[in-house]
Amino acid sequence: MDSEFMAVPITSRENLSVENPPIKCRMEIFIMRIQQSFCHALEAFEPTAKFLVDRWERPEGGGGISCVLQDGLVFEKAGVNISVVHGVLPKEAVAQMRSRGKLLTSDQLSFFATGISSVVHPKNPHVPTIHFNYRYFEVIDPSGSVQAWFGGGTDLTPYYLDEEDCRHFHLQLKQACNPFGADKYNKFKEWCDNYFVISHRGERRGVGGIFFDDLEEPTLENSFKFIQSCANAVIPSYVPIVTKNKDKPYDTPERNWQLLRRGRYVEFNLLYDRGTKFGLFTPGARYESILMSLPLLAKWEYCHSPSPGSRENDLLQVLKNPRNWLLDEECK
């Protein structure tokens, strides 16, 4: 294993180490460092469980590194995946990009994409699930013209509402956004609230965070620095919450509620998530890595509804009506 990363990079060392490497190579190096630091941060909670490291290659071009931990003391399932893929876009993907306003002149587009995606499902119902994804994408038309952009975000899915944890999480994200414009956090927080929606149930997947796509302004280089700031905020936003809550006692009804909420997580990821759909329909898709986001255990009960006034219902009301988690003085 490369001591700097969880595995040998997908792109050759020779190409990654050239003088003045292109932004796609710098992004690959950065996300591999984020992968290693986050895996090590999670493993620090686990006395025996370690990440399985699975480096894979894609016949159509590129590959990835999937790191998965299962049945730990604190984490029931945690995945931290890197992908570095290239090839030809399916027409469905081109149509989706056009629907977002991309000016694409051909249906035959080559692409390069690299990103990191992680989902952590803890055992204790008082520890939230976290998801983050940061990615770089470029398309090349037959004339050789290149369009490139970044996307991603970080969001939190608790099972029981702890307002202090929500404020801490959102404040870390806001501080990561602040150097790049006073409006960044508010804009991307609203985008997150409106994206992670389980439409058929009228509720959000969690208490939000930040989410954005098609980021290339004011410059691609500035957007890369923004991505780095957000990704570097993941550990300080989440690890203190795990430390605070991992040893809290819980009972069978609380565990049952956690499994029901995980069922909602599955519904969103399989029915609505654009990244999951893009991955599943990309030629040569690696389904094990794409479906890494799904929990080890989940549950569905017919017409389940929490009792009015219960802690479970308190969470549900917030999921139906997103809140501003930061106090006025913290938003200045």
Side-chain angles (χ1 to χ4, degrees):
M1 180 190 295
D2 191 305
S3 61
E4 189 180 6
F5 308 127
M6 296 300 287
V8 176
I10 301 302
T11 301
S12 70
R13 280 287 193 177
E14 182 180 5
N15 288 338
L16 290 178
S17 60
V18 298
E19 186 176 356
N20 298 319
I23 200 165
K24 65 181 182 181
C25 292
R26 288 186 285 142
M27 178 65 172
E28 182 177 349
I29 292 169
F30 172 70
I31 60 176
M32 290 196 66
R33 288 174 177 159
I34 291 293
Q35 181 185 48
Q36 186 192 59
S37 62
F38 192 56
C39 286
H40 288 177
L42 298 184
E43 284 183 336
F45 290 103
E46 298 290 352
T48 57
K50 300 297 178 185
F51 277 93
L52 168 69
V53 180
D54 180 16
R55 186 184 186 278
W56 50 273
E57 295 185 359
R58 177 175 173 268
E60 293 79 4
I65 302 165
S66 298
C67 297
V68 180
L69 183 153
Q70 292 186 159
D71 284 325
L73 182 67
V74 175
F75 304 111
E76 195 164 286
K77 184 179 181 186
V80 191
N81 289 355
I82 292 289
S83 62
V84 183
V85 298
H86 53 86
V88 178
L89 279 177
K91 290 183 179 181
E92 295 83 358
V94 176
Q96 185 188 82
M97 291 175 185
R98 285 195 179 117
S99 72
R100 302 204 316 267
K102 292 296 179 185
L103 300 177
L104 305 176
T105 58
S106 172
D107 288 335
Q108 296 296 315
L109 295 171
S110 299
F111 79 96
F112 172 90
T114 185
I116 181 169
S117 181
S118 177
V119 178
V120 179
H121 294 292
K123 281 191 172 180
N124 193 313
H126 299 290
V127 181
T129 281
I130 190 175
H131 158 259
F132 71 90
N133 169 270
Y134 291 100
R135 57 192 180 273
Y136 169 80
F137 204 96
E138 63 180 37
V139 293
I140 307 96
D141 68 23
S143 71
S145 176
V146 177
Q147 293 187 55
W149 60 88
F150 290 93
T154 307
D155 63 282
L156 196 70
T157 303
Y159 306 98
Y160 286 93
L161 192 62
D162 185 318
E163 296 191 5
E164 181 182 83
D165 289 347
C166 294
R167 286 193 294 270
H168 167 81
F169 181 79
H170 278 267
L171 184 58
Q172 293 298 313
L173 296 184
K174 184 176 189 303
Q175 289 173 344
C177 293
N178 279 348
F180 300 89
D183 65 328
K184 273 285 195 296
Y185 166 77
N186 290 335
K187 177 181 178 181
F188 294 157
K189 191 265 185 190
E190 181 180 4
W191 197 337
C192 185
D193 287 337
N194 292 332
Y195 177 74
F196 291 104
V197 179
I198 308 171
S199 300
H200 61 279
R201 295 190 183 274
E203 59 191 53
R204 272 67 182 176
R205 189 176 73 177
V207 295
I210 57 172
F211 178 82
F212 53 90
D213 211 344
D214 303 323
L215 188 66
E216 54 185 308
E217 299 292 343
T219 65
L220 204 59
E221 188 65 37
N222 181 270
S223 299
F224 181 38
K225 291 178 180 177
F226 177 70
I227 285 280
Q228 291 173 296
S229 182
C230 294
N232 283 325
V234 170
I235 290 176
S237 73
Y238 186 59
V239 166
I241 296 175
V242 177
T243 302
K244 171 186 169 182
N245 296 298
K246 66 183 178 66
D247 296 320
K248 286 185 177 179
Y250 61 90
D251 56 22
T252 299
E254 289 171 329
R255 172 65 168 167
N256 185 63
W257 173 248
Q258 179 194 44
L259 296 180
L260 289 169
R261 293 310 311 171
R262 284 185 181 170
R264 303 293 196 265
Y265 204 95
V266 171
E267 289 176 23
F268 176 85
N269 280 29
L270 294 184
L271 293 176
Y272 300 111
D273 187 68
R274 284 207 314 261
T276 301
K277 290 181 178 180
F278 176 83
L280 291 174
F281 290 107
T282 298
R286 192 170 190 274
Y287 303 116
E288 288 293 334
S289 296
I290 296 165
L291 299 178
M292 170 276 299
S293 63
L294 303 184
L296 198 60
L297 298 171
K299 189 173 183 178
W300 287 263
E301 288 184 7
Y302 186 70
C303 290
H304 181 276
S305 181
S307 302
S310 65
R311 290 177 300 147
E312 292 80 5
N313 194 61
D314 288 344
L315 175 70
L316 190 58
Q317 296 313 304
V318 168
L319 301 182
K320 291 179 178 291
N321 303 284
R323 287 170 51 180
N324 178 359
W325 293 104
L326 299 182
L327 302 176
D328 290 341
E329 60 265 30
E330 293 171 333
C331 294
K332 294 177 182 177

